[in-house]
Amino acid sequence: PYSMGTLAAGESRSIVIRGLVDPSADGGILVNSATVTSDTPDPDTGNNTDQADTEILVSADVSVSKSAGAHTAVPGQAFHYTLAVANAGPSDARDVTLVDALPASVLNPQFSTDGGATYRPWSSPYQVGLLQAGERRDIVIRGMLSASASGLLVNTAVASSITPDSNLANNTDSAQTPILPSADLSIVKTASPS
């Protein structure tokens, strides 16, 4: 309890109490009660307690950024993307989902969440799960580019959450990579009779 000392007849004091709402608070009502007491006999204790109910409005700013591993893609060679899924808060983002349907020309896609130390088969959508306020997760997706691929490699990633998002403009990012075929031609010439 907080001791206010002596309060003169007719005197009032205002006290401001502030704090940070836990980012993990999942909506609902923030209920706070205050009670005042005194050693002096009080003829009316019915007004010694008051309560404030405040609705908790959760809000998170989930974003995704996507970059290609090279400026150009070569058919028949490995290719990868790096994605960063982040939450700028102020609330934790729950049930974050990443959708990244790779082009059909990227074969046998795999992904890593530990900087490339281990890989697992990639499947979209991917459940990121809980993303705390201020947290970021990096995901590497790799695959082999089809030997017949040509034109432009276009890939789009979308991140979303069941938590209301205050800024939807950064929930989508795309990467466009020119496909430049490359072949190692060789010829062997022999004379007969040698």
Side-chain angles (χ1 to χ4, degrees):
Y2 171 68
S3 178
M4 298 183 62
T6 300
L7 199 63
E11 182 184 1
S12 66
R13 298 183 194 173
S14 296
I15 300 173
V16 177
I17 302 175
R18 69 179 184 181
L20 182 66
V21 178
D22 190 338
S24 65
D26 190 19
I29 303 295
L30 188 64
V31 180
N32 181 241
S33 298
T35 301
V36 63
T37 60
S38 172
D39 292 337
T40 303
D42 192 328
D44 179 12
T45 57
N47 59 3
N48 287 27
T49 299
D50 198 12
Q51 176 177 301
D53 297 343
T54 307
E55 184 180 4
I56 300 175
L57 299 177
V58 295
S59 175
D61 181 11
V62 174
S63 65
V64 62
S65 62
K66 183 182 187 72
S67 61
H71 294 296
T72 58
V74 179
Q77 293 189 4
F79 189 78
H80 76 272
Y81 294 102
T82 300
L83 299 91
V85 183
N87 175 22
S91 305
D92 291 350
R94 300 180 182 278
D95 295 339
V96 177
T97 300
L98 175 65
V99 176
D100 192 337
L102 294 173
S105 56
V106 179
L107 308 177
N108 302 317
Q110 300 175 316
F111 78 105
S112 173
T113 57
D114 55 13
T118 59
Y119 281 89
R120 291 172 287 168
W122 171 254
S123 178
S124 177
Y126 171 68
Q127 302 302 321
V128 178
L130 176 68
L131 203 59
Q132 295 180 335
E135 185 181 1
R136 164 181 158 169
R137 306 251 188 102
D138 291 331
I139 300 172
V140 178
I141 302 177
R142 71 179 183 183
M144 186 68 68
L145 191 60
S146 169
S148 61
S150 62
L152 194 64
L153 193 63
V154 180
N155 184 231
T156 300
V158 180
S160 61
S161 168
I162 64 170
T163 303
D165 197 319
S166 60
N167 178 19
L168 297 176
N170 56 10
N171 288 45
T172 302
D173 198 16
S174 298
Q176 299 186 16
T177 309
I179 298 175
L180 297 181
S182 176
D184 182 11
L185 300 178
S186 64
I187 185 171
V188 176
K189 183 176 183 179
T190 59
S192 181
S194 57

